Amino acid sequence: GNSVTQMEGPVTLSEEAFLTINCTYTATGYPSLFWYVQYPGEGLQLLLKATKADDKGSNKGFEATYRKETTSFHLEKGSVQVSDSAVYFCALPLYNQGGKLIFGQGTELSVKP
Amino acid sequence: EAGVAQSPRYKIIEKRQSVAFWCNPISGHATLYWYQQILGQGPKLLIQFQNNGVVDDSQLPKDRFSAERLKGVDSTLKIQPAKLEDSAVYLCASSLTSGGALSYNEQFFGPGTRLTVL
């Protein structure tokens, strides 16, 4: 079946540290892949996306590359800020099932000054 | 442009009581989703509407949960009677449609309703 697995959190980093949050997926075919972010007290926001293999999505200094050979879509940022503290979700849209999203369990990131 | 609105933001009830949540999607969005997010887990789809018709309710516990979108705009999700395991954040999302180009499928989420069942 379709599923998404993320590295467990919480992740605590110092400001300006390098961030990697791992995400792997199981799906038929070559789906699009998303990263959503949930800031404290707010709804989920689409952070970045990739629609085909080898695509790199990027936004706000975050990047993720769609690797079909490893079925992965790891999120990276070269230098995190306190304002990046949030919960990050990797997601798989099922366009053959009405577009519903299959989410990973989420990874909480806390950045200390 | 106004985002997805949800109310209430927080609700505390006793088990076996009933509760209702309200969602107003972005104007013009045909597709509306309700997700349940249990603490420490990713959101899980409960029900999806296209206009006022149900597209997918396969994960909705129909013995206690119900949802409607009578005029194809706002929606209510009801739980009756509530159980302890229903404690979660209930997220509403909307998209322009559920088919077609990728850009039309982006889902926009409301802030959620945090339900605590005691």
Side-chain angles (χ1 to χ4, degrees), chain A residues 83-105:
Chain A
S83 58
D84 293 326
S85 298
V87 182
Y88 293 82
F89 293 92
C90 188
L92 172 68
L94 300 183
Y95 292 120
N96 62 347
Q97 294 185 39
K100 75 178 185 183
L101 293 166
I102 304 296
F103 287 91
Q105 71 268 38

Side-chain angles (χ1 to χ4, degrees), chain A:
Chain A
N2 301 295
S3 66
V4 175
T5 302
Q6 284 181 239
M7 65 182 282
E8 292 192 11
V11 174
T12 302
L13 296 174
S14 297
E15 209 164 20
E16 299 183 3
F18 183 84
L19 169 70
T20 299
I21 300 177
N22 291 340
C23 169
T24 57
Y25 69 90
T26 302
T28 54
Y30 302 108
S32 298
L33 293 166
F34 299 154
W35 276 101
Y36 277 83
V37 59
Q38 187 174 34
Y39 297 105
E42 299 183 16
L44 279 78
Q45 303 172 24
L46 182 63
L47 179 61
L48 55 81
K49 61 188 178 187
T51 58
K52 60 183 187 295
D54 299 325
D55 256 5
K56 178 183 284 188
S58 61
N59 186 25
K60 299 182 180 180
F62 290 89
E63 293 183 338
T65 301
Y66 185 156
R67 304 279 190 203
K68 72 175 183 181
E69 61 275 11
T70 54
T71 62
S72 66
F73 192 53
H74 304 324
L75 183 68
E76 297 181 335
K77 186 173 186 181
S79 176
V80 293
Q81 305 300 312
V82 172
S83 58
D84 293 326
S85 298
V87 182
Y88 293 82
F89 293 92
C90 188
L92 172 68
L94 300 183
Y95 292 120
N96 62 347
Q97 294 185 39
K100 75 178 185 183
L101 293 166
I102 304 296
F103 287 91
Q105 71 268 38
T107 303
E108 182 179 2
L109 170 66
S110 178
V111 180
K112 306 297 184 186

Side-chain angles (χ1 to χ4, degrees), chain A residues 41 43 51 89 95 98-99 101 104, chain B residues 9 35 37 42 48 98 102 105 107:
Chain A
T51 58
F89 293 92
Y95 292 120
L101 293 166
Chain B
R9 292 294 307 273
Y35 289 86
Q37 184 180 8
Q48 177 185 345
S98 61
L102 175 63
N105 292 332
Q107 294 180 30

